[in-house]
Amino acid sequence: MLDAVDRLIIDALTKDARISLKELAQLVGLSSPSTSERVRRLEERGVISGFTVELSHEALGYMLQAIVRIRPLPGKLHIVQDLINETPEVVECDKITGDDCFIARLFVRSISQLDEILDRIADKAETNTSIVKSQPVKRRHPPLA
Amino acid sequence: MLDAVDRLIIDALTKDARISLKELAQLVGLSSPSTSERVRRLEERGVISGFTVELSHEALGYMLQAIVRIRPLPGKLHIVQDLINETPEVVECDKITGDDCFIARLFVRSISQLDEILDRIADKAETNTSIVKSQPVKRRHPPLA
DNA sequence: AGTGAAAGATCCTTCTT
DNA sequence: AAGAAGGATCTTTCACT
């Protein structure tokens, strides 16, 4: 599906998405036109879905990260889902199988802010909150086999 | 900390990190030099930590996503941590407070591949696995207040 | 699929206000 | 922070392998 060159291209763009085509071509050992065509096709195929910027949560003042498992009370599922969506500190939320229905990642500035946010859900769902102590594996791509 | 223009810049770069300075300047309503200086300072301050590429897991053949809570057996913590690290299908792992020690996100091609990976941990930790059914909130930035 | 050269377009930064 | 301008840089096209 992806050959070695495609993987080199993705690796390079992962490290710096703003690299010029010329530099990228040198890195992967192809000419500029071929490299350009490769990138175009990776986008066309949907393998590359976009180019984006990474922010530092700490630099933005979000010193705390929490993982919250959320089990809506009977009949409250949609209300809870809306509430999650409207809480901008929820940076990611998955609907999952099992006893818990949702699992969400929150960025907060302080424990008191976390408490505040959880209070808003308290009468609509059972929650189970864990504080993130460290990140043994930071966001990375899966194998590009 | 960030003013309105900084936020516009980050919004624009989030949507397309490869946008040219000229276009970015037009979007935020400043001149190119000012915009260039803004971006430079955002990087310098560490707010912008990098530019990267987004991949489509589905296009790569990872049709299944799982959330696994992992509680290492007594004395097995380091072995488990190493194992997690060496499993490339683990795209993210946090060390958290509470009964479970780790929580990991896995991309897999099939249930059988998931089973295979979990089997490797089975004699070193208790695991609790949930399949991701949908993503009510896809990865997004927290408020840039 | 890929190369190499070349032209044309685009861009970024510098300088002045 | 704006605006103009110069010079560098880049990307794509084309003919060929």
Side-chain angles (χ1 to χ4, degrees):
Chain A
M1 188 147 197
L2 296 183
D3 68 12
V5 175
D6 288 329
R7 266 175 258 136
L8 282 173
I9 288 174
I10 289 172
D11 286 346
L13 290 176
T14 298
K15 288 192 194 101
D16 179 10
R18 301 202 75 173
I19 193 175
S20 74
L21 202 52
K22 190 188 175 189
E23 209 176 335
L24 182 60
Q26 285 170 350
L27 280 174
V28 307
L30 280 189
S31 64
S32 292
S34 318
T35 309
S36 169
E37 181 65 10
R38 290 270 193 161
V39 174
R40 199 192 58 69
R41 256 182 295 160
L42 285 170
E43 292 190 64
E44 193 182 54
R45 282 201 273 162
V47 173
I48 292 178
S49 58
F51 298 94
T52 192
V53 66
E54 284 176 340
L55 305 184
S56 159
H57 335 124
E58 291 83 5
L60 289 170
Y62 293 97
M63 306 315 287
L64 232 43
Q65 226 174 122
I67 304 288
V68 184
R69 308 203 314 263
I70 301 167
R71 187 197 307 210
L73 298 178
K76 305 275 189 182
L77 191 133
H78 286 294
I79 296 175
V80 168
Q81 184 153 349
D82 290 347
L83 187 54
I84 289 170
N85 242 299
E86 288 155 15
T87 304
E89 287 80 10
V90 172
V91 297
E92 186 172 38
C93 178
D94 297 284
K95 198 171 178 194
I96 57 177
T97 63
D99 289 338
D100 304 305
C101 187
F102 298 107
I103 188 159
R105 180 184 302 267
L106 271 78
F107 286 173
V108 290
R109 299 179 182 282
S110 61
I111 288 281
S112 66
Q113 192 190 6
L114 178 60
D115 190 44
E116 209 172 278
I117 293 170
L118 292 175
D119 269 0
R120 266 185 266 145
I121 315 184
D123 58 336
K124 303 176 188 70
E126 277 180 45
T127 62
N128 182 309
T129 303
S130 302
I131 301 293
V132 174
K133 293 187 288 187
S134 67
Q135 301 202 285
V137 178
K138 299 224 193 236
R139 262 289 176 174
R140 65 184 180 192
H141 295 314
L144 309 176
Chain B
M1 188 143 197
L2 296 182
D3 69 10
V5 175
D6 289 330
R7 266 176 259 137
L8 282 174
I9 287 174
I10 291 172
D11 286 347
L13 290 176
T14 298
K15 289 190 195 103
D16 179 9
R18 299 202 76 172
I19 193 176
S20 73
L21 202 51
K22 191 188 175 189
E23 210 176 335
L24 182 60
Q26 286 170 349
L27 280 174
V28 307
L30 281 189
S31 65
S32 293
S34 317
T35 308
S36 170
E37 181 64 11
R38 291 268 192 162
V39 174
R40 200 191 58 68
R41 258 183 291 162
L42 284 169
E43 292 190 64
E44 193 182 52
R45 282 201 273 163
V47 173
I48 292 178
S49 58
F51 298 94
T52 192
V53 65
E54 284 175 339
L55 304 184
S56 159
H57 336 124
E58 291 84 3
L60 288 169
Y62 293 97
M63 308 315 286
L64 232 43
Q65 227 174 122
I67 304 289
V68 184
R69 308 203 314 261
I70 301 166
R71 187 197 309 211
L73 298 178
K76 303 276 189 183
L77 191 133
H78 287 294
I79 297 175
V80 170
Q81 184 154 349
D82 289 346
L83 187 54
I84 289 171
N85 242 300
E86 289 156 14
T87 305
E89 287 80 9
V90 172
V91 297
E92 186 173 38
C93 179
D94 298 283
K95 199 171 179 195
I96 57 177
T97 63
D99 290 338
D100 305 305
C101 187
F102 298 107
I103 187 158
R105 179 185 301 267
L106 270 78
F107 286 172
V108 291
R109 298 180 181 283
S110 60
I111 287 280
S112 67
Q113 192 190 6
L114 177 61
D115 191 44
E116 209 173 276
I117 292 171
L118 292 175
D119 269 0
R120 268 185 265 145
I121 315 184
D123 58 336
K124 302 176 188 71
E126 277 179 45
T127 62
N128 181 308
T129 303
S130 302
I131 301 293
V132 174
K133 293 185 289 186
S134 67
Q135 301 202 286
V137 178
K138 299 224 192 237
R139 262 291 174 172
R140 66 184 179 192
H141 295 315
L144 309 176

